[in-house]
Amino acid sequence: MAKPHWGHEQSDLAPDPAVHWGVLPNGLRYAIRPNAEPKGRIAMRFVVLAGSMHEADDERGLAHFIEHMAFRSTRNYPNGTLTELLQRMGIAFGPDNTAFTNYDYTIYHLELPNAREETIREGLGVFSEYADGITFSKAEVDLERGVVLSELSTRDKPNLRTYHANQKFMIPEARINERSPIGLEEQIRSFTPEQFQAFYDAWYRPERMILTLVGEIEPLEGEKIITELFGSLEARGPSRPEPPLTIAGWTKTDHTQTRLFKESNITGIGLNLQHAIAKPPEPDTRVKWTRSLHGALAFHMLQRRFYNISTRRGSSFISPSVNYGQGPKGWQVNTLTLHSSLRSWRMVIHDAEQELRRALDFGFTEAELQDAKTYYNTYYQQGVRSAATAPSSAIATNLVTAIAYDRVFASAEIVEQEMKPIITGATLENCWQAFREAWGEETPKLFVVANSNFGHDEHDLAS
């Protein structure tokens, strides 16, 4: 991994001036931001830049399993006694103390009940256990294995199956298609203590760790405790290379532009017109923000246009929505989603494709652009008004996520100042160009979700 840095160090955008930024000599990064809501509380986040993407082929599900083991057994708190400590601190096991693993990182949360120095020290002490003290005895692993397998079964739901099917259809070359964070049952059943330790030593390294503390805290006080508890942290073993974003040796063999996915619990039909663009990570800059806002304005105009159509009597679809600029690391996925009844499938496909093509060929109107500008000006102004009452928990999570993805964490005031002239200067030509780039030169892919009773196949949809 390259030397740790901050997103704003590579940018012409200013970070939030209220944040105190720091890096220990061992590479661990921390950010501390005073905040008054809720009064007398502190939200803490600990991120390790290791998720399911970092697993080898025989480790699928291991990153998530280690997250579980952090609560099961550590060097100073074996046999589940860490939970007892958290309870003594007044932290309920659940909403106040949670963790999750995604493709790119593992995040641990603590919501401290007060801002006393001893409480901050205890909370950071818990994170130091996660950083360097998780243990993997066979007995403890076997106890937690059943919990993880139970979670695996509860996650097998229509929405998640649909999500994975669509993702594989849209970006079949993406390695994330082989790296669901929950993992594979046969591997979860067979992981050994040695496999846990090897993954832990390779990826739980100080230069891959980030701490954020947000709340009623004096930054220098927090910095002192962080230095004491984490300053001596060292890597326990050799690192591994960063994983690729694509599947090794992948070649395109399926040229299907339409995919039908059926589920018994689906009501009606959901139609998604989509286009995925490979987007290697790039620094946050004013140019990037300008380009993104032009696309966002265009997609807002598309959303409003489809919403107006949906309210007309006899419309073939309901609940139109758009997604612009989102997607897993390395890709941007742009989507138009419409819902309808099973019997209206032909009409909704026709109407969606026709209206999208009209926007691509002819763009939007000045009235539509002014409506979009009003919406975004109001959106950023509301962000400034609500910033003073933003909860520390949300700020802490947003801050650590921005750091993890090398983005600039700017205050609401800075964001509004940056966006206002971009909105004012945006033209129909700017937005139309961004819109056409978002959809590419090819016909958008069509992903249809329908109830199992839908009596048609992909050939019917494509014809």
Side-chain angles (χ1 to χ4, degrees), residues 72-107:
R72 168 65 66 178
S73 179
T74 68
R75 185 182 303 118
N76 295 312
Y77 297 96
N79 305 315
T81 53
L82 183 60
T83 303
E84 298 173 9
L85 168 66
L86 295 170
Q87 291 172 339
R88 289 197 303 272
M89 292 171 61
I91 299 173
F93 189 83
D96 294 328
N97 173 28
T98 56
F100 67 85
T101 302
N102 69 12
Y103 298 112
D104 304 310
Y105 59 77
T106 303
I107 183 169

Side-chain angles (χ1 to χ4, degrees), residues 257 273-275 353 356-357 360 439 442-446:
Q257 291 295 106
L273 284 168
Q274 302 172 108
H275 180 65
E353 291 179 336
L356 178 58
R357 176 47 56 191
L360 287 167
W439 289 104
E442 298 179 353
T443 301
K445 285 189 173 183
L446 175 63

Side-chain angles (χ1 to χ4, degrees), residues 182-335:
I182 192 62
L184 299 177
E185 180 177 352
E186 59 270 25
Q187 293 193 15
I188 294 170
R189 291 187 180 277
S190 63
F191 287 144
T192 66
E194 291 76 18
Q195 285 178 289
F196 281 93
Q197 195 67 54
F199 187 93
Y200 187 56
D201 291 348
W203 296 110
Y204 274 59
R205 314 170 60 82
E207 69 271 21
R208 303 190 71 86
M209 295 177 179
I210 304 164
L211 285 166
T212 59
L213 283 68
V214 179
E216 293 205 326
I217 182 172
E218 209 289 312
L220 294 182
E221 175 190 357
E223 184 174 62
K224 176 184 175 182
I225 301 172
I226 290 171
T227 302
E228 290 177 10
L229 294 179
F230 294 89
S232 61
L233 187 65
E234 297 179 345
R236 296 175 299 277
S239 64
R240 298 183 190 176
E242 286 294 318
L245 295 177
T246 55
I247 298 170
W250 181 86
T251 55
K252 185 175 182 179
T253 57
D254 184 359
H255 298 273
T256 304
Q257 291 295 106
T258 302
R259 182 61 45 83
L260 173 63
F261 187 77
K262 296 183 182 182
E263 276 284 357
S264 60
N265 293 329
I266 298 293
T267 301
I269 191 168
L271 176 146
N272 301 273
L273 284 168
Q274 302 172 108
H275 180 65
I277 305 171
K279 285 281 187 179
E282 62 175 314
D284 256 355
T285 62
R286 192 169 287 113
V287 169
K288 179 183 175 183
W289 280 23
T290 300
R291 185 173 65 242
S292 296
L293 186 57
H294 288 161
L297 288 166
F299 270 68
H300 177 84
M301 290 186 276
L302 183 73
Q303 164 86 44
R304 291 295 299 171
R305 185 175 287 186
F306 271 89
Y307 172 77
N308 290 335
I309 295 172
S310 73
T311 61
R312 298 172 188 166
R313 183 179 180 86
S315 173
S316 63
F317 57 84
I318 60 172
S319 305
S321 62
V322 299
N323 176 73
Y324 170 70
Q326 301 300 310
K329 185 178 180 179
W331 281 273
Q332 175 181 320
V333 180
N334 306 306
T335 307

Side-chain angles (χ1 to χ4, degrees), residues 143-161:
L143 282 172
E144 195 64 25
R145 203 185 307 271
V147 178
V148 177
L149 289 169
S150 176
E151 184 178 340
L152 174 66
S153 66
T154 61
R155 286 195 184 189
D156 187 21
K157 295 182 178 179
N159 286 347
L160 189 58
R161 291 194 293 269

Side-chain angles (χ1 to χ4, degrees), residues 51-55 57 60-61 102-105 160 163-184 243-248 250 276 326-333 405:
S52 59
M53 280 286 285
H54 299 86
E55 297 163 351
D57 288 342
R60 294 174 63 177
N102 69 12
Y103 298 112
D104 304 310
Y105 59 77
L160 189 58
Y163 170 79
H164 285 310
N166 188 23
Q167 183 170 265
K168 190 172 183 179
F169 171 58
M170 281 304 304
I171 41 177
E173 70 271 35
R175 192 166 180 266
I176 56 175
N177 294 321
E178 299 179 342
R179 290 296 184 278
S180 173
I182 192 62
L184 299 177
L245 295 177
T246 55
I247 298 170
W250 181 86
Q326 301 300 310
K329 185 178 180 179
W331 281 273
Q332 175 181 320
V333 180
Y405 288 114

